Amino acid sequence: MGTENKTVVAVAGIGYVGMSLAILLAQKNRVVACDIQREKVERFNRHILPVRDDDAERYLSERPLDLTATTDARVAYENADFVVICTPTNYDDVQNRFDTRAVEQVVEAVLACNQRASIVIKSTIPIGYTRALCRKYGCERIYFSPEFLREGCALHDNLYPSRIIVGMPDERPETRRRAETFAGLLSEGAEKSGVPVMLMGLEEAEAVKLFANTYLAMRVAYFNELDAYAETHALQAGQIIAGICADPRIGSGYNNPSFGYGGYCLPKDTRQLRASFGDTPQRMTSAVIAANEVRKGYIVDQIIRRAQKCRSAEKTPVIGVYRLIMKAGSDNFRQSAIHDVMKMLREKAFEVIVYESTLAELGDYHGYPIENDLERFKAKADVIIANRNDRALDDVQDKVYTRDIFGSN
């Protein structure tokens, strides 16, 4: 394998998944990361990360890693033993499925220069997609390995994984050996010992990813509905949630109320799972998606009630949005529920301003004015909405509307 007895791994895509995986594997293997964005590659080679991740920054600065990045696909793939695909697969509302074109482009690039590499897809994909790729390209070396990473702490989750899953196209000894080898690379890079390794069929592995994320979305939607009931009936939601989650069968994960689930994974994965059912009867997945939309509408109604108390004949209340991020410690606000809340407020003719430290150099965000100075922002806003509360708002808590009960992610 590879050179100097090191396994050579190419990682396609330097987002939070590819970045963290490249760093994890580069501890003991030779890793070449590949991305089509030249600036991102150049910055990564200078140890500047594409997203915030404290553990990744620490590993880059403190650990001897055999890691380089390039925009040249041939350079990345031609000598690789494994090519791991971590390209984005956004949900296409027109096609009603993930946009997997970037995944196929990588597969084609690998097959054009390397006929021995095993290809492992980490990108989230529809159930049945990997097997369809195997048939399309006549290749029996394509695997699927779902990732279970949180943005902002992706490397930590790779270092301390709950499980390692590799989906295989068949049960031949050589196929299983390759799957075991890849799972071993992930295990060797982890700091957690004794991580469970599960080898299964392609479709089963793909289903694990979509059903796991839909379950998490369901928990978010459930506790958000509980919170709405408590708020409208003047009950203490935190006490109710604490009592429920003391049951070990339920546990305390994903129980902090919010403006709705969002982020890069849950919205698109729930919709893809709903589409995957086809003619198979289902109600719960559709109900989870619908509940999330209901939650955002409810939040808007509560904000408007708060704002109407500030309304005067001379001035329309100003709604201040404190941060666009989905959760504390993140710098990403893709598909954040706050976007829909802002849109609905603007449609109701409210003035909306934004404080978002990651956009400090911009004057506006999709037409919403950005106030870069936090003190001016707090002074201008009549109501401040915060998906996640912050100590920086302690002096204006009388203005703040949040459903953040536990001050956690």
Side-chain angles (χ1 to χ4, degrees), residues 238-269:
Q239 295 179 15
I240 302 171
I241 293 171
I244 291 171
C245 294
D247 188 327
R249 296 170 301 175
I250 297 174
S252 59
Y254 278 69
N255 67 353
N256 192 20
S258 66
F259 291 170
Y261 68 73
Y264 186 61
C265 292
L266 299 191
K268 70 188 184 87
D269 289 4

Side-chain angles (χ1 to χ4, degrees), residues 10 44 128 190 202 211 215 259 297 304 351 380:
F44 194 56
L202 290 174
F211 275 95
Y215 176 78
F259 291 170
I304 291 174
E351 181 181 351
K380 286 182 179 180

